[in-house]
Amino acid sequence: MQENQAFYCGTQKMLQAAYRELLLKDYQPTVDTMLERIDEHPKSALELGCGVGLAAINLSKLGVEVTAIDFEPTVHQIALENKAKYAAEVNFLREDFYQFDAASQFDLVYYLDGFGIGEDADQLKLLEKIKEWLTPEGKAYIEVYNPNHWRKADGVTLPLVEDVSHHYRFDEAAHEMIDIWKREGSEVAYTQRLKCYLPEDFEQLVKRAGFEVVAFYPEGRMDYETMQYHPQASLTDCLSYSAVIVPVD
């Protein structure tokens, strides 16, 4: 987990100028899709790993009381800037959500692009905390990386922003996507590892935490031969999928 924390702190500083150019409308489709998939209009929501806060702000503009957490100082500062810019009523907290102690429960807990830090035991611990944070009728919405896709990405190098590129690896034994960011001319590299789960394996994991899966939704896929992104994909070959889960007794 410490390696991932160093990754987030280093890369967010690299990209802070680009992050400040992001607009509220850039995140509206993500929020609209999430609400359509959960088939609810929650009164309250908790976002884990909120980044610059634009998804949370979009949700708050729809009348949802939103608490949004991120431990990384650069994006937390930008989230506060966005809160002022858009006159939003979001409770942005700079905390490690693995240590977060909620004062109340939420109708929705969501985690976009980041689930899978650590071992299975770490995911199970987080899912158990999510169950505590949810109301009995609440739902969680979690984006999960698919090993079938990331296995194909092993060895691929992509240009990113300006002089920063990233290099993909796949650890078959651990089922981990490895993403290495490096600036040209520098020996400093930042590495992120995220555990990938097939839908059936994720379903077994959430059952252990007291959840059941309501639905899986495949996201897009990347064709690394043509370097083209395709927004439509199957559960078999998608880059990631989103799962709607609900607590059970």
Side-chain angles (χ1 to χ4, degrees):
M1 284 194 176
Q2 290 182 345
E3 184 178 43
N4 278 42
Q5 288 182 341
F7 172 88
Y8 297 132
C9 289
T11 57
Q12 310 301 41
K13 287 179 182 178
M14 283 183 181
L15 296 180
Q16 60 181 303
Y19 286 158
R20 284 190 165 90
E21 296 297 319
L22 293 172
L23 301 174
L24 190 61
K25 65 181 182 181
D26 296 332
Y27 284 74
Q28 184 174 346
T30 298
V31 171
D32 290 345
T33 297
M34 176 175 67
L35 293 179
E36 180 181 346
R37 289 173 174 177
I38 67 170
D39 194 27
E40 297 281 351
H41 189 93
K43 293 181 179 178
S44 60
L46 172 66
E47 180 175 3
L48 307 179
C50 66
V52 299
L54 293 174
I57 292 172
N58 264 292
L59 193 56
S60 74
K61 294 294 184 181
L62 297 175
V64 181
E65 184 177 331
V66 184
T67 296
I69 301 176
D70 205 301
F71 84 95
E72 203 285 317
T74 299
V75 292
H76 178 69
Q77 177 57 39
I78 298 173
L80 294 178
E81 294 170 11
N82 284 330
K83 177 179 178 178
K85 177 180 178 180
Y86 293 107
E89 296 183 4
V90 177
N91 182 24
F92 285 112
L93 301 176
R94 186 187 160 202
E95 298 194 34
D96 180 347
F97 52 72
Y98 285 91
Q99 307 300 324
F100 178 57
D101 190 10
S104 60
Q105 292 181 308
F106 303 88
D107 299 322
L108 170 65
V109 177
Y110 64 102
Y111 191 1
L112 307 173
D113 190 21
F115 182 84
I117 301 172
E119 305 296 329
D120 288 346
D122 298 302
Q123 323 314 329
L124 185 59
K125 176 183 176 182
L126 179 58
L127 287 164
E128 289 170 345
K129 291 180 73 68
I130 289 173
K131 188 177 182 185
E132 292 177 3
W133 297 330
L134 279 172
T135 60
E137 297 78 26
K139 294 180 179 179
Y141 183 83
I142 302 174
E143 186 176 356
V144 185
Y145 278 18
N146 178 8
N148 289 341
H149 177 91
W150 292 104
R151 186 176 291 112
K152 298 174 185 177
D154 184 53
V156 171
T157 296
L158 293 179
L160 188 61
V161 176
E162 298 176 349
D163 60 346
V164 179
S165 63
H166 60 172
H167 315 269
Y168 290 137
R169 298 289 184 269
F170 185 76
D171 184 331
E172 189 66 55
H175 266 206
E176 287 181 338
M177 180 277 284
I178 304 172
D179 188 8
I180 305 167
W181 290 32
K182 191 173 181 180
R183 191 183 296 277
E184 290 294 326
S186 172
E187 294 302 315
V188 178
Y190 298 101
T191 301
Q192 170 183 221
R193 293 174 176 264
L194 291 179
K195 188 94 172 183
C196 304
Y197 293 91
L198 293 169
E200 55 266 32
D201 294 331
F202 181 76
E203 189 165 19
Q204 290 302 312
L205 184 68
V206 301
K207 281 183 179 179
R208 292 169 59 192
F211 284 98
E212 68 178 6
V213 175
V214 174
F216 289 118
Y217 295 96
E219 308 300 345
R221 66 178 178 87
M222 185 72 182
D223 185 332
Y224 293 107
E225 292 185 1
T226 63
M227 289 298 178
Q228 290 184 319
Y229 178 75
H230 300 273
Q232 302 296 324
S234 69
L235 266 179
T236 301
D237 65 357
C238 61
L239 184 157
S240 64
Y241 55 87
S242 295
V244 180
I245 63 175
V246 295
V248 292
D249 295 331

